[in-house]
């Protein structure tokens, strides 16, 4: 069966860095797979996505609230100072300017915050993203390439996993 490794890998790397009941913003949340481990750990998760159908499923999966957002066009994803962590799993690819999107992902974060991202290895601009994070005061904890997902009809794609925090 098909299996996507990104949500569990990002959760495993971020959960130990979070205070209890942290506010998590899941950008490009889809149906909410990436947020489930955070909800299970007692955190409050807000999802942002372009698809109203996906957002309905995210609410069923326990998301506190959802925001309909087109990442490519939005000036701002969520209000400033509204999140302790941002998760963006399986969203970043070649059609989104990495530097601009990373600035949008950082904007809602509080001064002490964490971020967890996956990038498809084929399209990844991880050096560019890491540079923006470092310029914004983040320490990089993980910048690795690993399996992305398993599908029975073709080889697994590989993903960059980036986890950073600002203290």
């Amino acid at each position: 069966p098909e299996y996507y490794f990104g949500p569990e890998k990002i959760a495993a790397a971020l959960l130990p860095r979070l205070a209890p009941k942290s506010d998590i913003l899941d950008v490009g949340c889809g149906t909410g797979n990436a947020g489930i481990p955070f909800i299970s750990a007692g955190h409050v998760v807000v999802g942002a996505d372009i698809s109203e159908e996906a957002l309905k499923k995210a609410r069923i999966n326990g998301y506190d609230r959802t925001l309909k957002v087109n990442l490519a066009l939005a000036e701002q994803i969520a209000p400033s100072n509204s999140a302790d962590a941002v998760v963006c799993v399986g969203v970043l690819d070649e059609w989104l300017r990495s530097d601009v999107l990373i600035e949008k992902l950082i904007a809602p974060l509080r001064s002490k915050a964490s971020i967890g991202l996956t990038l498809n290895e084929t399209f990844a601009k991880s050096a560019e993203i890491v540079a923006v994070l470092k310029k914004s005061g983040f320490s990089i904890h993980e910048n690795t390439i690993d399996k992305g997902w398993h599908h029975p009809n073709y080889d697994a794609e590989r993903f960059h996993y980036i986890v950073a925090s600002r203290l």
Side-chain angles (χ1 to χ4, degrees), residues 3 10 12 29 39 43 53 83 93 108 115 120 124 133 140 146 149 151 153 163-165:
Y3 186 77
I10 290 298
C29 69
I39 294 166
H43 300 290
E53 280 302 308
D93 64 25
I115 189 166
N120 183 310
L133 289 170
I140 307 302
D146 201 349
W149 62 310
H151 192 283
N153 297 329
V163 175
S165 62

Side-chain angles (χ1 to χ4, degrees), residues 3 10 28-29 49 65 93 104 138 141 147-148:
Y3 186 77
I10 290 298
C29 69
D49 202 280
R65 63 190 202 327
D93 64 25
K104 290 180 187 181
F138 284 84
H141 304 295
K147 59 188 172 188

Side-chain angles (χ1 to χ4, degrees), residues 5-64:
F5 299 98
E8 71 183 36
K9 289 182 72 63
I10 290 298
L14 276 181
L15 282 169
R17 301 181 188 292
L18 300 174
K21 299 189 186 307
S22 291
D23 295 313
I24 313 299
L25 176 61
D26 182 0
V27 178
C29 69
T31 60
N33 290 338
I36 292 170
F38 297 97
I39 294 166
S40 296
H43 300 290
V44 176
V45 180
V46 173
D49 202 280
I50 193 170
S51 168
E52 188 58 47
E53 280 302 308
L55 291 172
K56 286 178 189 173
K57 291 177 183 172
R59 288 189 293 273
I60 290 167
N61 279 330
Y63 278 53
D64 187 61

Side-chain angles (χ1 to χ4, degrees), residues 102-103 106 130-138 166:
I102 294 304
E103 293 291 342
I106 293 170
V130 166
V132 172
L133 289 170
K134 285 182 175 179
K135 182 180 173 190
S136 300
F138 284 84
R166 182 173 58 196

Side-chain angles (χ1 to χ4, degrees), residues 116-130:
L117 313 168
T118 66
L119 305 109
N120 183 310
E121 182 183 33
T122 308
F123 307 118
K125 298 175 183 172
S126 63
E128 189 177 296
I129 289 169
V130 166

